[in-house]
Amino acid sequence: MRTQEKRKYYKAAQRILREEYLDGAIKNVEGIGLSSNEQRLMIALKMKGSKGAGYVFDPAREVRIGRNREENDICVQDLATSGEHCKIFLYEGQLCIEDLNSSNGTVLRRGLRGSQTLFGKMAFLQNHTKIIVGNNCFLLTIFYCDVSAE
């Protein structure tokens, strides 16, 4: 990951974590407080071919991708993409993706290991996996963000 891009991801991740902490404090939810030395797993999805189209998420909150604006965190305006196409989430501490019975499936490309097409199934994700949703390709970057870092 390039240094400038890395800084951008970390800034976005820290914003998300601060908002989560403030939301918990406002709602007075116990257990939301973040310790100063905690590291959180975060993901960045960068859309290939679209300059500046990147997203940073906390996968503990589930990330949905699809064509329907109201139901998804990432809205892809592409007729080959289903309204609710797929979701990325944590399952027992592992990063996963699940195809939500989309029309064209969700394709995973993992370097030289080839590709796998999911139709209504779940798979574990690894760093630098390419996720193809309709005619769009996202590059997944997994990183840890130090909660106390500024």
Side-chain angles (χ1 to χ4, degrees):
M1 183 168 24
R2 293 191 327 253
T3 306
Q4 183 179 3
E5 193 172 334
K6 189 176 182 179
R7 269 192 230 121
K8 198 164 50 169
Y9 291 165
Y10 281 108
K11 275 184 149 180
Q14 288 166 350
R15 240 186 340 265
I16 291 167
L17 295 174
R18 279 191 209 107
E19 286 175 14
E20 178 182 318
Y21 176 78
L22 290 172
D23 284 348
I26 290 167
K27 293 175 185 172
N28 199 18
V29 176
E30 289 189 35
I32 294 291
L34 302 170
S35 74
S36 61
N37 60 357
E38 184 179 350
Q39 287 205 334
R40 293 282 287 271
L41 176 79
M42 302 296 282
I43 61 170
L45 292 169
K46 185 175 182 180
M47 188 181 288
K48 293 190 73 109
S50 296
K51 208 167 197 170
Y55 310 89
V56 175
F57 292 100
D58 178 353
R61 293 191 170 217
E62 186 175 274
V63 179
R64 291 180 167 264
I65 304 171
R67 205 172 64 232
N68 184 332
R69 286 185 194 273
E70 289 81 32
E71 301 295 324
N72 297 290
D73 301 296
I74 300 175
C75 180
V76 180
Q77 293 302 310
D78 170 14
L79 294 177
T81 302
S82 294
E84 295 176 27
H85 200 97
C86 64
K87 66 180 179 178
I88 299 171
F89 59 98
L90 284 177
Y91 175 74
E92 295 182 358
Q94 295 282 327
L95 189 61
C96 298
I97 188 167
E98 181 178 1
D99 180 80
L100 300 173
N101 294 312
S102 65
S103 299
N104 298 314
T106 302
V107 180
L108 306 178
R109 288 201 183 130
R110 297 182 176 117
L112 301 174
R113 296 182 191 174
S115 63
Q116 173 185 11
T117 304
L118 305 174
F119 287 100
K121 293 189 177 186
M122 181 180 94
F124 293 105
L125 289 170
Q126 299 168 339
N127 200 21
H128 305 299
T129 298
K130 291 179 182 168
I131 302 168
I132 295 143
V133 176
N135 294 313
N136 300 277
C137 180
F138 295 92
L139 177 61
L140 172 74
T141 301
I142 301 170
F143 65 100
Y144 287 88
C145 182
D146 188 3
V147 172
S148 65
E150 290 298 324

